[in-house]
Amino acid sequence: MREDTRQWIEGDQARCWHPFTRQAEWCARGHEPLVIVRGEGSWLWDSEGRRYLDGNSSIWTNIHGHAHPVINAAIRAQLEKVAHTSFLGSTHPLAVELAERLCGLFPAGTLERVFFSDDGSTAIECALKMALQYRQQTGAPERNELIAFSNGYHGDTLGAASLGGVSRFSKGVLGNGFPVRHVGSMEELLLLGSEKLAAVVIEPLIQGVNEMRLWPAGMLGELRRWCDETGVHLILDEVMTGFGRTGEMFACQRENVIPDFLCLAKGITGGYLPLAATLVTGEIYDAFLGTADRAFYYGHSYTANPLGCAAALASLEVFEQEQTLARLPEKIARLASGLAALKSSQPLIHEIRQCGFIAGIELRRPDVVKFPPNERFGESVCLTARSYGLLTRPILDTLVIMLPLSSGFEEIDHAIHAVAEALGQ
Ligand SMILES: *Cc1c(COP(=O)(O)O)cnc(C)c1O
């Protein structure tokens, strides 16, 4: 190991604290975390000069590859002007342009306003708070309950975490958290009385953290119709699915659904900078007009950060220049056929779950029984895949393959090959 690598690792182990990480293991002697020093396209390099395919798009964020010249140039150009100014009491050109572009991705008269924040969790917090405040300001304060789906994931701030249905992420620290009712399916939802409900929140088409489990086809459309009939608002969490991951620009477009609130983050800047947006319909927005006490009391210091907006606008530009969406179907097909071949040759693969360019590979013992959790089998497969040039993380024993949308056939094949080699070991 190079001397500088050793120093970075020691320094990290002495002072840094990583998300969702068992720090005792992380800091143990002999644990050698990768020190990532550079990226280009779908590839990342570590401080030892080794190259890895970014198999989970740097935790589901990257869209057009790393160090993309168009996005880099846009950030640089804005940096020469000003890095950050407040969105509280003033505005700036790129936020205006980005808000127009985002609304322009939906039919006129639907999603018409953009509230900026910093990340997926805050985009969700905004939607929740707006949904509840909306009821107070429209004469229906009794509609103060929120519904979320079991095993869903919506982020880690307290409100977003209370929505989440994956208990290992809150570990009971929240107690009962913020009051949310959880349902497992559309059928269960239909059994609930809707009079007290403000809104229902869902990850459309696919639940990411729930080991990439897909909703039944048609379910989202059915949910929209139910919301229309009951007057319950629909909040879509497209933090993972947004910006092309599912093959459409947004997952909701697959079932021709327009939500009342749309939460976007992760891929919005192409995966470059933290920025998020909560889009709402004109109807929601209008309830916040009028007397001063009707303002939406919420905001963060870096709201609508100009560098983030520059990256987001450049990312939308690249979608057009590179015809990203038009080129996706053949990549999605290549991934599907590669995974099918992999499954037929690998007895440890229980199920492949794919939604557009997102794939989960669930591993089980050949007798279909799950591996004991403390074996951390998925983790050890990912660690082995690293030595074949693939960087990704599992969710329990489900391996995630979520490449940047700009990845080519060779890169798709490389990812599958690395998983095959790792499983072979
Ligand atoms: C990642 C994620 C979030 C949280 O976003 P952060 O930027 O990590 O706060 C929320 N919802 C979904 C579906 C996600 O995948």
Side-chain angles (χ1 to χ4, degrees):
M1 190 190 293
R2 289 169 38 165
E3 182 54 23
D4 51 3
T5 302
R6 201 183 54 76
Q7 285 180 7
W8 283 318
I9 292 175
E10 282 178 10
D12 178 291
Q13 291 176 329
R15 292 290 178 201
C16 297
W17 191 345
H18 291 261
F20 293 108
T21 299
R22 302 175 190 92
Q23 282 291 133
E25 283 174 30
W26 180 271
C27 296
R29 221 176 246 279
H31 176 236
E32 292 174 10
L34 296 184
V35 182
I36 301 293
V37 292
R38 191 166 80 80
E40 194 183 315
S42 303
W43 299 88
L44 295 169
W45 280 261
D46 73 7
S47 54
E48 298 287 296
R50 291 171 299 209
R51 187 178 88 139
Y52 308 91
L53 186 64
D54 189 355
N56 71 351
S57 293
S58 294
I59 206 74
W60 317 354
T61 57
N62 193 281
I63 300 287
H64 304 294
H66 296 279
H68 193 291
V70 172
I71 304 178
N72 284 10
I75 296 171
R76 279 200 196 99
Q78 181 56 38
L79 188 56
E80 293 304 322
K81 295 175 187 158
V82 62
H84 183 66
T85 55
S86 174
F87 211 54
L88 179 63
S90 55
T91 188
H92 66 82
L94 296 187
V96 175
E97 201 184 328
L98 179 59
E100 279 171 2
R101 291 288 301 269
L102 290 173
C103 292
L105 295 170
F106 297 90
T110 59
L111 296 168
E112 300 193 301
R113 286 280 164 176
V114 180
F115 192 94
F116 290 109
S117 62
D118 308 334
D119 50 46
S121 308
T122 55
I124 294 285
E125 296 285 335
C126 289
L128 299 183
K129 212 167 165 187
M130 284 173 183
L132 294 171
Q133 195 176 334
Y134 171 93
R135 299 297 178 180
Q136 290 175 1
Q137 294 175 183
T138 53
E142 73 286 356
R143 279 202 183 240
N144 59 5
E145 290 184 10
L146 295 163
I147 299 287
F149 285 85
S150 315
N151 300 314
Y153 176 77
H154 301 285
D156 295 323
T157 52
L158 281 181
S162 306
L163 283 181
V166 181
S167 60
R168 68 178 188 282
F169 283 91
S170 53
K171 276 282 186 289
V173 174
L174 298 179
N176 292 326
F178 176 79
V180 176
R181 289 221 265 171
H182 289 93
V183 293
S185 63
M186 207 46 228
E187 290 71 37
E188 269 183 56
L189 182 63
L190 296 178
L191 297 176
L192 294 182
S194 59
E195 310 77 40
K196 294 190 70 185
L197 304 183
V200 55
V201 189
I202 190 171
E203 299 157 85
L205 304 190
I206 177 170
Q207 289 186 316
V209 169
N210 187 21
E211 302 167 74
M212 299 298 165
R213 287 207 166 74
L214 277 65
W215 290 115
M219 184 262 203
L220 189 62
E222 202 185 327
L223 182 59
R224 174 73 270 182
R225 284 190 294 281
W226 179 84
C227 285
D228 289 339
E229 283 160 20
T230 56
V232 175
H233 286 138
L234 178 60
I235 300 176
L236 291 190
D237 177 351
E238 291 230 28
V239 173
M240 175 184 81
T241 52
F243 301 98
R245 291 280 178 215
T246 65
E248 278 81 14
M249 192 61 160
F250 300 106
C252 60
Q253 291 168 329
R254 176 138 9 141
E255 299 195 7
N256 287 315
V257 163
I258 308 263
D260 302 288
F261 299 83
L262 179 67
C263 301
L264 302 173
K266 288 194 172 109
I268 192 172
T269 59
Y272 276 63
L273 289 163
L275 181 79
T278 304
L279 275 63
V280 303
T281 60
E283 191 232 333
I284 302 287
Y285 175 75
D286 287 347
F288 291 81
L289 304 179
T291 52
D293 62 335
R294 288 190 154 209
F296 181 50
Y297 287 106
Y298 189 98
H300 293 284
S301 328
Y302 284 99
T303 294
N305 171 257
L307 296 176
C309 291
L313 282 165
S315 173
L316 291 175
E317 196 57 43
V318 176
F319 265 101
E320 287 182 11
Q321 280 179 16
E322 299 186 356
Q323 290 292 295
T324 306
L325 293 179
R327 290 162 70 184
L328 266 179
E330 61 180 22
K331 298 180 184 185
I332 291 169
R334 179 81 166 207
L335 179 63
S337 60
L339 289 172
L342 179 69
K343 182 171 190 296
S344 64
S345 65
Q346 286 292 345
L348 296 180
I349 298 181
H350 171 65
E351 189 174 71
I352 305 275
R353 293 184 283 269
Q354 187 180 348
C355 179
F357 211 39
I358 305 169
I361 304 170
E362 185 179 346
L363 306 176
R364 289 201 192 173
R365 298 183 350 188
D367 61 3
V368 192
V369 175
K370 292 188 183 190
F371 290 99
N374 58 8
E375 247 176 56
R376 294 196 231 151
F377 188 68
E379 222 172 284
S380 74
V381 173
C382 286
L383 200 59
T384 311
R386 234 189 233 187
S387 54
Y388 294 96
L390 174 70
L391 211 54
T392 189
R393 287 178 67 85
I395 304 164
L396 303 176
D397 289 335
T398 295
L399 313 181
V400 174
I401 301 292
M402 197 191 296
L403 302 175
L405 304 187
S406 52
S407 304
F409 283 178
E410 271 177 37
E411 291 161 338
I412 295 167
D413 296 349
H414 176 94
I416 292 168
H417 176 75
V419 173
E421 292 288 344
L423 285 173
Q425 297 237 328

